[in-house]
Amino acid sequence: MAAVYSGISFKLKSKTTSWEDKLKLAHFAWISHQCFLPNKEQVLLDWARQSLVAFYKKKLELQEDIVERLWVYVDNILHSRRLQNLLKNGKTINLQISLVKIINEKIEEFSLSGSQRSICAILSCCQGILSAPALAVIYTAKPELIVALLSQLCWSACRQPEGAMTAKLFEVIHLALDHYLKLQQQQANPRRVFGDMTGHLFQPCLVLRHLLLGGTWTQASQGQLWQVLSRDIRSKIDAVLRGGVFRYDLLSSYKEELLEQQQENVKMGVLKNLLTPMDTVITRLVEPDYVKSDLHALVVASSVSLLYRLFLDSYLKEENQFLCFQVLPRLFGCLQISHLQEGQMEALSLSDWTTELLAVEQLLNLVATSNIYNVAADRIRHGETQFHFYRRVAELLINHSQASVPAWFRCLKILMSLNHLILEPDLDDLLSSAWIDAEVTEFRAKKAQEVLINTVFQTYAKLRQMPQLFQELLEVICRPAAEALRQPLLASGLSMALCACFLELPLSQILDTWSLVLDKFQSLVMPCLQSDTDMAFKAMSLSSLLHCIMFNMQSLDNNMPLPIIRRTQCMMERMLRELVKPLLGLLLDLWSPEPEPWQQKVSDSALLLSYTWAQVDTTLSLHCSQYYSLAVSLARAALDSSNLPLLLPGVETELWKKVEKCIAQSRSLSRYCLEQLYLQKVKRTLIRTSSQSKEALQTLRFDTAHILDSSRDCLSQKTVTAWDRQVSTMNESLYPVAHWHLIVSNLTVLIPYLCLNDVRYVATVLLRTLPTSKAQGSLAPGESYVTLEKISTALLHSPLFPEMQSLYSAFLTCIIAKCSNILCSGAHNDLSLSQQLPWLFGKDYHTLVAHWETRLAKVGSEGVEPRGEIAQNFLSMVKSGFPIKLHEDQLKDLLELFDVISALHLDSLWPSYHVHLFFLLFSMAVSTLGHCSCPLALQFLVKCYQLLSGLQRGRNARSVFRVMYVSDIFEVVLTSLLQASAEFQVREDDPAWLQLLQVSGVFLEQLMQMLIQAKLSLVLNFGKITAFLSKYSKGASSKELNIQNLRSRQLLLVALTKLCQSLGPCVKERRQLLEAPAALPELLQQAMMQMGAMLQLCLVPGTTGCRRRLPSVLLSAVPTLLEVDLSQHLREGQPKIAQVVDTDRALLSHVTLYQDVYTQLLEELPALSGNTQSFQAALRFLTLFLLAPEFHSKESSVFASIFYSVQKVLTGPCIPAPVTQDTEPHLGALLTQMFKAETTEHFGMVLQSILQGLDVTQAWRSDLQVVLCAIRLLNLLLKCPLSGEKASLLWRSCPQIVTALMLQHREACQEQPVALVVVEPILEVLAVLLRKGEESISNPHHVNLAFNILLTVPLEHLKPREFGSVFLKTHNVLFSILQCHSKVMLKAIPSFLNSFNRLLLSVLHEGRQKDQGSMDDLPVVLECARLVERMYSHIATRAEEFTTFSPFLVAQYVTEVQKVTLYPPVKNLLQEGIYLILDLCMERDIQFLRASLQSGARDVFKDLHSDYLKYHKAKHEGEKRYTA
């Protein structure tokens, strides 16, 4: 048969056979096993190749579709599995260069003209060739072919940004780069490699890399695979550029070119003609024709930093630092901005500036991080070559200010960090363009500006040259300028930076700076203030600067040198005499009824300086007894004998009245400062008058009222503006926020002296300014911007708020009044309603409070007054339809108020307030809900009962029962809920309905618990409750009383459940004390019977014949009934249920019920695991069921059934972590009971199941859930109390368990991405195993296996939450080894330290300061840093074991910490830990570290050791002095 097809090769070559038939025959010949051709694969491939070559050389005419099909045919052969198998078996297939050349030519044609004829098939062929090493040799054997291919592929990608073949094109580029990289590494001729790179590949690679970095291919970039491919291609391009342009054997050429050294005797070898590699690179980079003009500048800008980085990666060594610098000016010269002349700012657009400045920033960053610039070496060896270049860059940046571009600020910041002298000649222009005159509005630019100015401040503070800096700053401020257009001088960020610097400066420097500002104010500003708006604005700027200096300087104390104290006092006197008083005088002399802008600014300046002076004077006099306050001395010299302080010393009260009159209508800084002055006066009065005289009290009341009354109208409306808490930024729109901030911040001072009306006003404003939604969150501790809502929310949640009783009561009064008004608006016109519900309709709230106080006093402890009146009123109104009907809008308003009430501390209200609020909430809970949506009505009722429960947990909860019996409250609540449930159109398993059942049940249970605790007529109250429930239970079974719907039955079941839960333990406890009344057990028995009957009613089969899935409320009822049942019938003398089965028919029916529920739970337990409450109830029932073997079936093992059901739960695909944590104790209790009740064989079955689940084959089968189930089960098993044979069996299996955990961990870590879902539980269970096995694990090898796990735990490339979780679990394992297996740890200290070092490195990496991104993740890192510090402290306590290793721990720390800039809180925590290790180091260890550390690490260690001696060691030595 084979002979039949042997002539195919002749037919393929025959001219008479049509091409259609030839292609069919060729395809048949390839796929058919019956066709015999010698060397068939080569023959068919050669035929297709020859046909294509002949066509492209014009020797053969073919139609386009035939050519396309020929390429597809070749592609099918190249990608066929048959060919791949042949190549693997060693068979040789020759492709011939002619085919490869055609492929290259067609790709070149595609890149130049965009011709897409057959291009998809050609690219696929190319991919097939490059994918097979045996075929790819055709390219790698001739390097020029792969170079040409790679060049044209890159150009094709660059010139065809979107297309159907984009994905295929990049796959081929990826393969081609792989092959070229290998070829490049094997190439021994650097000249040839450099020539290929610069001649063919340099430009297309740079353009392609730029486009990839900019995300040009949006359609292809969907999905993670493309991102990975894009990243791989970029990294390979970097490797190709480095290997071709910056080879190590080109170093001598770069040195000769860049350092201009004449080395005549050096043998150049192959490099004798290659003398200027850098010139070649730069020439090729800046050539204009290889890319479009609009893209050229972008490519150059993104390439210069890349090339510089690659150069540094290749050649940076200590001896090559100057060589590395010499490249920098050359690359910088490629940028457009390097050729700008002064005044040519418009030559570039804003986007061009952004691109160019980002490139400059990256270049300068590389200089800074690589330590290329050494100031001393540059000056001594190189004649300040580097310095002059950086000066040129600085001049260029300052002459072409770009304050809207964040990178401009960052470039200047790096230059300042390199050497402050670079910017010092242009310091005035820098301060002007980057700060004073900068128009910065965009957030990122503002942040960059703050970092730059902060760096300037810190630099000059460290140099102790702050006065020189301020000299330049004052010159800039006082220059002629349009001041009104300038932004505020000290915004929040800049102010905080300046404050931090002042705190570190010696006081003499601050006094010099203060004097400078004062001199400038007096000499330049004061003489020209009148009618000069610009000068008035300058006065305001200088005033805010003085305010900042004086508020943030070090305070004087008695240890200060006397000259400093005297000088400070002189400065204070001079400022008051020469500046503050003249400004106030000018204000009064020139004020007009309608003030001009300059007058307003003079007013702001005068009042700000007055307030600042008064505050500082008070602070200095308090802290330093040698400082004599001018206020005190002037008061003594005054004729007035009053001891009360003035607003400002030397300024009479009459003068202040005139000032107040001038600024009466002002709503700006001057008004705010006047309020601050009055506040200072209040504080000084409180300090001076030890016994408050009548005059002092009168003054205090007047001043506090004045602060409040000065701006009442400004808080009448809400404002959403935010204030940064800096006085210099305040304006009219921000004044309400500042005024409210002042009042709230000082309420503890003001409240005792405010009259009742003022306190009510503050409470009203507080309620009005609270946010209407939770989205407008509260004020964070470190947050700089405040709004009215944030301030009010912070006060509401403050622990001091309840302590201010008058304000707290007034606020509560406001809320109650508002709630009452809403309720009254829904009341019907019923004249008797005001008598029945007096707490709603009373106009005078204080009269109502007095009414409750009188009523509570009358009742007394014995309850003389009958309490049924209110109960009867409520019951009659509820049964006939409550006369208050609330609609949707009213419910929404009340819910907003409920959120406010929820934030209050309701546990310490006075009895009258408590009772009033209770009955107000109670009235709302039983109100008729009108045409409202069911979800809103349910939400309202849930909130009502939550608040009632919270209120009844308070101190005066029993005062409610002096007005109304518990049983009456119970009856009203349940009657109201039963009526409401009949009207709700909601499903019985709706979460909102189930939540209402839960919270109402909690409230009812709380009532009954309080009844038991207070022993308030137990038999009477419980008897009424039981009788009431009995009536409704009978109604439910006899189809009366309108409780046929399941919701009503659920309510009754909840009530019966809570009754049994409360009464059962009470009866049991009293029976043990032999004091139980006979009636209580009887009542409990009745409740049990009713509850059992109600459960039977609720468990009626559904329409399909199967039982309904039990809602959580029903599940919680069944274990309650079983628990009470067991406590009733399994008492002493009656151990067997069989003894009472015949006499107790109720119990018999309950047994059936329990068995039915048990069967149902076994089936539904996995489904219930998603609901915490249902799952907990189910587990509780199963635990109780195990206690009663008489209920168990003889046919099957209860242990096995429950265990397999639990196993199904733990194997579930998605059990939420919170659910697992909440239910873990209940699962543990169930397993404990199972192991206690059953034999060792059953325990062995569980252990065998765990070992099978941990077998590594489960991971190989990807059976993740089985592995997780085994780990969870092991975790639960370890937490069960075991003894005897069971404990022995567990610890004999320990070696297998630890080994299995290690293998599972290894498999999980090898997955991509790492399977954290397995890693974390393994770490958790390993920590428990090590802790529990402290006495039982005897083999050190098994503990050492834990180190194998710790050393491979993934701590990189994790999300913050994942990182925190993995870190904590890893730390716990390490800590368990340290604490519980110290002997093993001593023999494996290197492994221990390596594991700990991984934790340290991860914290350093995560805790570094990032250029972009928020600080939201910082708390996670701080917690991890705290754990590292804690581990350091534990290591330090074991001084004997770790003394030898202490210098290595320190060296490890400083070596790593020098590589990153940490957030200060993280750094502080780690330093506190390393200080403890330094305590273990001896002097020889310190000398060893100083000698052996590298230069950068040595500097870090020097600072660390200095801080250690200054802060840590000195402090502890000081403590030792007081130690006996």
Side-chain angles (χ1 to χ4, degrees), residues 356-419:
E356 299 273 314
L357 288 170
L358 280 171
V360 175
E361 180 198 355
Q362 290 166 353
L363 289 173
L364 293 175
N365 256 328
L366 288 167
V367 171
T369 54
S370 304
N371 294 321
I372 289 171
Y373 181 39
N374 184 299
V375 179
D378 181 52
R379 184 175 298 166
I380 295 168
R381 296 178 190 167
H382 307 297
E384 295 191 326
T385 305
Q386 290 198 52
F387 177 77
H388 293 312
F389 169 73
Y390 300 134
R391 275 289 304 133
R392 183 163 71 88
V393 175
E395 288 173 357
L396 178 69
L397 292 172
I398 292 172
N399 290 337
H400 300 86
S401 172
Q402 293 294 321
S404 59
V405 182
W408 183 75
F409 292 103
R410 294 197 292 265
C411 291
L412 291 169
K413 182 254 179 187
I414 298 167
L415 290 171
M416 176 60 72
S417 303
L418 288 174
N419 185 355

Side-chain angles (χ1 to χ4, degrees), residues 425 844 908 912:
D844 185 0
S908 57
S912 53

Side-chain angles (χ1 to χ4, degrees), residues 840-852:
L840 293 183
F841 292 90
K843 299 298 180 186
D844 185 0
Y845 181 76
H846 293 279
T847 306
L848 287 173
V849 170
H851 161 75
W852 285 119

Side-chain angles (χ1 to χ4, degrees), residues 1189-1480:
E1190 290 79 7
F1191 294 165
H1192 301 174
S1193 169
K1194 306 294 183 187
E1195 299 171 0
S1196 60
S1197 167
V1198 172
F1199 180 93
S1201 301
I1202 294 178
F1203 174 69
Y1204 289 134
S1205 188
V1206 169
Q1207 212 172 16
K1208 283 181 187 176
V1209 170
L1210 296 177
T1211 318
C1214 51
I1215 306 175
V1219 172
T1220 308
Q1221 292 167 7
D1222 291 340
T1223 56
E1224 188 176 293
H1226 298 273
L1227 272 169
L1230 176 61
L1231 287 175
T1232 301
Q1233 190 57 45
M1234 288 168 66
F1235 296 146
K1236 191 183 293 183
E1238 300 299 332
T1239 61
T1240 308
E1241 287 74 16
H1242 285 107
F1243 182 79
M1245 179 186 77
V1246 175
L1247 208 55
Q1248 186 62 32
S1249 169
I1250 291 171
L1251 290 170
Q1252 286 175 357
L1254 290 177
D1255 193 275
V1256 73
T1257 56
Q1258 303 289 356
W1260 295 342
R1261 294 192 202 107
S1262 299
D1263 208 342
L1264 184 64
Q1265 295 307 321
V1266 173
V1267 176
L1268 287 175
C1269 171
I1271 295 170
R1272 290 167 183 158
L1273 202 54
L1274 176 60
N1275 200 356
L1276 291 166
L1277 182 65
L1278 288 169
K1279 292 175 183 177
C1280 293
L1282 300 173
S1283 59
E1285 291 184 15
K1286 294 170 186 173
S1288 175
L1289 186 60
L1290 171 64
W1291 295 115
R1292 283 202 304 272
S1293 306
C1294 184
Q1296 277 179 278
I1297 292 171
V1298 176
T1299 307
L1301 288 173
M1302 186 195 71
L1303 294 173
Q1304 287 289 351
H1305 176 80
R1306 183 187 298 169
E1307 292 297 324
C1309 290
Q1310 287 174 355
E1311 291 185 22
Q1312 290 299 328
V1314 176
L1316 291 179
V1317 70
V1318 176
V1319 170
E1320 290 191 53
I1322 286 176
L1323 292 171
E1324 189 176 351
V1325 78
L1326 183 62
V1328 177
L1329 186 69
L1330 290 169
R1331 283 198 300 273
K1332 293 282 185 180
E1334 182 175 4
E1335 303 294 336
S1336 306
I1337 300 177
S1338 55
N1339 192 335
H1341 172 69
H1342 302 142
V1343 180
N1344 282 331
L1345 288 176
F1347 287 121
N1348 293 344
I1349 294 177
L1350 293 179
L1351 290 170
T1352 54
V1353 171
L1355 291 166
E1356 302 84 20
H1357 311 301
L1358 300 178
K1359 295 175 182 175
R1361 193 182 296 275
E1362 293 173 347
F1363 170 75
S1365 178
V1366 174
F1367 187 98
L1368 175 63
K1369 291 176 173 61
T1370 307
H1371 168 273
N1372 289 346
V1373 175
L1374 201 60
F1375 185 69
S1376 300
I1377 296 173
L1378 181 68
Q1379 289 292 94
C1380 305
H1381 301 276
S1382 52
K1383 291 182 180 178
V1384 178
M1385 191 267 300
L1386 285 177
K1387 296 178 182 178
I1389 283 183
S1391 297
F1392 177 86
L1393 292 180
N1394 283 339
S1395 302
F1396 175 59
N1397 188 47
R1398 294 191 74 238
L1399 295 180
L1400 174 65
L1401 288 176
S1402 67
V1403 170
L1404 292 174
H1405 181 266
E1406 296 295 328
R1408 71 193 190 284
Q1409 293 187 22
K1410 305 174 182 70
D1411 294 335
Q1412 296 178 347
S1414 66
M1415 294 174 62
D1416 296 342
D1417 309 328
L1418 191 57
V1420 174
V1421 183
L1422 279 175
E1423 188 56 39
C1424 296
R1426 201 168 284 112
L1427 290 173
V1428 171
E1429 181 203 9
R1430 177 183 159 199
M1431 187 63 78
Y1432 273 132
S1433 69
H1434 286 293
I1435 291 172
T1437 57
R1438 298 172 178 269
E1440 294 180 6
E1441 294 93 331
F1442 285 98
T1443 301
T1444 310
F1445 296 91
S1446 57
F1448 298 102
L1449 280 167
V1450 176
Q1452 218 165 29
Y1453 172 80
V1454 295
T1455 303
E1456 298 302 332
V1457 86
Q1458 67 157 340
K1459 300 174 184 176
V1460 293
T1461 303
L1462 296 172
Y1463 284 114
V1466 178
K1467 185 177 180 181
N1468 292 340
L1469 283 170
L1470 295 179
Q1471 278 188 342
E1472 288 298 323
I1474 206 67
Y1475 288 160
L1476 300 173
I1477 304 301
L1478 281 169
D1479 285 339
L1480 305 180

Side-chain angles (χ1 to χ4, degrees), residues 261-385:
Q261 297 173 346
Q262 301 298 323
Q263 298 179 349
E264 296 179 0
N265 298 327
V266 177
K267 294 181 180 180
M268 297 299 296
V270 296
L271 300 175
K272 59 186 177 181
N273 295 322
L274 188 63
L275 300 178
T276 57
M278 185 51 67
D279 276 347
T280 307
V281 168
I282 288 174
T283 303
R284 296 292 288 163
L285 177 63
V286 298
E287 279 179 1
D289 300 332
Y290 66 91
V291 70
K292 294 177 183 178
S293 58
D294 58 338
L295 195 59
H296 185 269
L298 297 174
V299 172
V300 172
S302 67
S303 300
V304 288
S305 58
L306 167 69
L307 294 172
Y308 193 45
R309 176 170 61 81
L310 296 176
F311 187 92
L312 295 179
D313 290 346
S314 298
Y315 303 134
L316 180 61
K317 290 183 180 176
E318 197 165 346
E319 65 272 14
N320 291 337
Q321 285 179 343
F322 188 63
L323 171 70
C324 291
F325 163 72
Q326 289 288 20
V327 179
L328 182 61
R330 307 281 186 101
L331 290 172
F332 178 73
C334 298
L335 298 172
Q336 296 179 80
I337 60 170
S338 64
H339 307 295
L340 286 179
Q341 301 298 319
E342 192 169 351
Q344 288 186 331
M345 206 175 302
E346 294 79 9
L348 297 177
S349 65
L350 182 61
S351 60
D352 290 336
W353 271 111
T354 304
T355 305
E356 299 273 314
L357 288 170
L358 280 171
V360 175
E361 180 198 355
Q362 290 166 353
L363 289 173
L364 293 175
N365 256 328
L366 288 167
V367 171
T369 54
S370 304
N371 294 321
I372 289 171
Y373 181 39
N374 184 299
V375 179
D378 181 52
R379 184 175 298 166
I380 295 168
R381 296 178 190 167
H382 307 297
E384 295 191 326
T385 305

